[in-house]
Amino acid sequence: MNRALLRCSVQLSKQSPVLALRGLRFQSTSPYKKKYYVDPEPQIGDYPNLPQEFYEDRPQRGWWDRQNRRNFGEPVPEQIEILNMWAPTQYWSPGWKMVGKMWCGFILTLGTVFFVISKARGERPYVRAFYPYGGLKEELGGVPSRTMAKSIEEAALEVKK
């Protein structure tokens, strides 16, 4: 563990045990693996310990065997079933920033399309129906002279009775 981090965690633990738990992190002693890092393999003997390079990532042309992207006499990796061209495709997944940008772009495009459609929509192809006498309230059995305030007053009077 890093000594400076240890000192910092000891100082935090004196102040508050909760802060000490939050601030404590363990540093890994192993270095991060590079792209073609090869682990030492004691069981393969004198066979070359090849990096794990997917054949799908190799260029398409310039190979003796164009279908599998191999040259004649090239040593075969130990995990050829996973690395060759017949293995499942390696999919690249974008980072969260790029996914967020894609979603924002999608929503912005969708909103723009809806806005343009709402502004570019023409007039209605029909005329609204017009009914005389306040929309035929009397003909359909409604009370045309009653307002909402009058209805509330009448309901309050009926409740008091």
Side-chain angles (χ1 to χ4, degrees), residues 13 34 42 55 72 79 91 141 146 148:
S13 65
K34 296 178 183 170
Y55 285 12
F72 182 77
Q79 296 167 336
Y91 291 104
R146 185 184 297 176
M148 182 61 84

Side-chain angles (χ1 to χ4, degrees), residues 9 11 32 36 43 48 59 75 83 85 90 101 110 124:
S9 65
Q11 289 172 357
Y32 291 107
Y36 297 113
Q43 295 181 353
L83 302 174
M85 288 299 295
Q90 293 293 314
K101 288 177 185 177
L110 198 62
R124 294 183 177 157

